[in-house]
Amino acid sequence: FTVAAGASAFSWSYPVFLILRGIAGFCIGANYGVSICYSAEMVPITKRAFNLLLLDILWCIGGVYICFCAIFVMPYEWGWRYLILLAALPCFNNDTSTSRM
């Protein structure tokens, strides 16, 4: 997901952009379902509800983050490329932190 999301900021044509965003969308959809199932199975029963609630809350916070990025980036004519890079920034952090586990 992270590679496709970050690479779409550097796409050179509209069809390439659509393909990369399609790959990113497919991967994030698959990631969402797997992360919920994985969290529900691997977390102890006593902390399961809190963990799933936290997972859903963080998805909502990510949506708010994207809205604020769009509000503050797009009016300054930085363009959609910077917006996509800002959207992919938390994913780069997540990929590097989970690879150390």
Side-chain angles (χ1 to χ4, degrees), residues 1-57:
F1 164 72
T2 306
V3 173
S8 63
F10 301 105
S11 61
W12 54 90
S13 67
Y14 189 66
V16 173
F17 176 75
L18 285 179
I19 290 170
L20 289 172
R21 293 309 288 179
I23 292 170
F26 178 77
C27 293
I28 198 69
N31 185 21
Y32 183 71
V34 170
S35 64
I36 288 178
C37 292
Y38 186 73
S39 295
E41 289 185 13
M42 296 299 176
V43 175
I45 294 173
T46 57
K47 298 187 184 226
R48 188 171 295 164
F50 175 75
N51 193 22
L52 292 175
L53 177 69
L54 185 65
L55 188 65
D56 285 338
I57 288 173

